Amino acid sequence: MATVFSGVQPSGDYHLGNYLGAFKNWVAVQHENEAFFCVVDLHALTLDIDPSELRERTLDLAVTLLAVGLDPEVVTLFVQSHVPEHPRLAWLLECTATVGELNRMVQFKEKSSGRETVRAGLYTYPVLMAADVLLYQADQVPVGDDQRQHLELMRDLAVRFNNRYGRTFTVPEAVVPKVAARVMDLQQPGRKMSKSIDSPLGTVGLLDAPKDIERKVRRAVTDTDGRVRYDPEAKPGVSNLLELLSAATGVSVEEAAARYDGYGDLKRDVAEALISLLAPIRQRTAELRADLGEVERILTAGADRAHKVASVTYERAAKAVGLFS
Ligand code: ATP
Ligand code: LTN
């Protein structure tokens, strides 16, 4: 049995990219592994977010994660700020990472570009992420493709810390799905679907009504060549639709491509598949929102379990670097 850890920021409306790139794969591994899933509210503070909105979104993200199928009987679902060892270990790891390494992080460059002021926390964000995972001695981190570079840094930090202070951390690896690891925006198929970019027609929300899903897929940008073929370089829009169909139905992208002569039929089936995929999530979200007390109880129990594991690792790391106790 492996230990699995992953996290998501409570910073917006969740979309198909989050679901297919991450959440769905969390649900798939929960029963065979020891799994920790975390609502990373401290990470959400790296960008501008209204305090009352953060509070609300934190609980609502827990609702979403339960609605997609995480089973609180088998996973540890918790809020990052409820376990104080996360920022404490992050400091020890900030003193392990170098400025040169952090300067190379592509997501920092993307998220900071064009902003007048950039929070220091956005810069050290990947180090807090490393602390999240290393505290639980996780072997595997299921994430979307955009997190690969952060995972590489995390591995480097774990190895460096272990070499410098003695073996303390398991060195984790990224687990990225074979299809839909990078779901693209339906309107701009050259960029990933994202909750931090305003593209209402290009983003399919997990809670979108069937008629909105149908409309967004029908208006998805394709190309003028007219042939259905999987070729992400030359045909990003069509290839994205094929990946969505493949991820939603289980057929391979090539098999899916061979079934269609034109874009109209492909779009009709993609819309249909996504509507059936998301319908149960919508329904379950409504049920859970009606019993937030139960969701809060799940998070309290989760924090308790997480804290027990995290405190053992933190104490070991603190002792290893020579903190007096
Ligand atoms: P966003 O860019 O949408 O604001 P993010 O990458 O900053 O999202 P999270 O929402 O915390 O941050 O990501 C949660 C998980 O969803 C991560 O594992 C991430 O890799 C995955 N993910 C996000 N967008 C996509 C996408 N378009 N395709 C596949 N996976 C994605
Ligand atoms: N940076 C991640 C969210 C995240 C995470 C983690 C993912 C924070 N801590 C630990 C995996 C493991 C993102 O998706 N933007």
Side-chain angles (χ1 to χ4, degrees):
M1 196 157 79
T3 301
V4 174
F5 185 102
S6 201
V8 50
Q9 301 188 62
S11 56
D13 296 321
Y14 308 98
H15 51 75
L16 261 185
N18 298 129
Y19 181 66
L20 298 175
F23 306 163
K24 178 176 173 238
N25 311 307
W26 302 359
V27 173
V29 299
Q30 64 181 338
H31 290 288
E32 286 80 50
N33 300 283
E34 169 82 24
F36 296 86
F37 297 111
C38 186
V39 175
V40 294
D41 55 347
L42 297 173
H43 277 107
L45 295 172
T46 57
L47 297 174
D48 201 16
I49 183 163
D50 181 72
S52 63
E53 205 170 287
L54 175 58
R55 206 168 294 127
E56 217 170 275
R57 285 182 187 280
T58 298
L59 191 58
D60 205 51
L61 175 52
V63 165
T64 301
L65 294 176
L66 294 167
V68 298
L70 287 185
D71 176 355
E73 297 290 322
V74 298
V75 306
T76 301
L77 176 63
F78 71 104
V79 176
Q80 187 185 34
S81 65
H82 293 177
V83 181
E85 282 76 13
H86 289 244
R88 293 178 83 192
L89 183 63
W91 179 254
L92 302 189
L93 295 174
E94 276 182 42
C95 298
T96 305
T98 66
V99 169
E101 272 169 332
L102 295 185
N103 285 341
R104 288 195 287 276
M105 293 296 117
V106 173
Q107 201 169 71
F108 173 72
K109 290 183 204 164
E110 284 169 2
K111 291 202 171 178
S112 58
S113 89
R115 286 178 194 272
E116 220 164 87
T117 56
V118 175
R119 298 183 184 191
L122 186 65
Y123 184 64
T124 56
Y125 175 118
V127 182
L128 178 59
M129 179 170 164
D132 295 341
V133 174
L134 300 184
L135 277 173
Y136 299 90
Q137 306 290 355
D139 306 287
Q140 296 175 1
V141 186
V143 281
D145 181 69
D146 59 331
Q147 297 301 314
R148 275 185 200 275
Q149 194 189 26
H150 289 157
L151 259 296
E152 277 311 310
L153 173 70
M154 189 184 296
R155 290 169 59 84
D156 291 345
L157 297 183
V159 168
R160 190 175 309 147
F161 192 103
N162 286 347
N163 288 341
R164 194 178 284 167
Y165 302 112
R167 210 186 125 55
T168 309
F169 302 121
T170 301
V171 181
E173 60 177 40
V175 179
V176 175
K178 287 198 181 64
V179 277
R182 181 176 286 260
V183 174
M184 306 309 264
D185 186 287
L186 297 182
Q187 286 297 309
Q188 302 168 69
R191 69 190 309 166
K192 71 162 194 159
M193 193 177 282
S194 169
K195 57 177 137 72
S196 39
I197 293 167
D198 194 31
S199 175
L201 259 187
T203 311
V204 178
L206 286 192
L207 302 180
D208 276 1
K211 65 171 183 352
D212 293 325
I213 299 175
E214 204 269 327
R215 184 171 52 98
K216 289 178 190 182
V217 173
R218 188 160 26 87
R219 292 179 59 179
V221 168
T222 50
D223 51 52
T224 52
D225 146 81
R227 272 174 306 163
V228 178
R229 195 159 50 78
Y230 183 71
D231 181 347
E233 288 287 308
K235 297 170 70 67
V238 173
S239 302
N240 192 38
L241 291 174
L242 288 169
E243 288 215 30
L244 292 177
L245 190 61
S246 169
T249 62
V251 297
S252 72
V253 282
E254 289 79 15
E255 223 179 298
R259 288 184 188 169
Y260 300 96
D261 292 326
Y263 299 162
D265 288 351
L266 170 64
K267 285 181 170 181
R268 187 201 57 221
D269 284 5
V270 170
E272 208 172 276
L274 295 181
I275 289 167
S276 330
L277 182 75
L278 299 183
I281 298 175
R282 240 176 128 215
Q283 189 185 337
R284 187 94 184 96
T285 300
E287 288 161 12
L288 287 157
R289 279 181 177 163
D291 189 5
L292 291 177
E294 175 58 17
V295 180
E296 285 185 40
R297 277 190 290 280
I298 290 168
L299 291 178
T300 305
D304 211 43
R305 281 209 294 274
H307 185 248
K308 287 201 173 77
V309 179
S311 56
V312 172
T313 306
Y314 176 75
E315 290 308 327
R316 203 200 295 174
K319 194 165 166 216
V321 302
L323 297 186
F324 187 75
S325 63

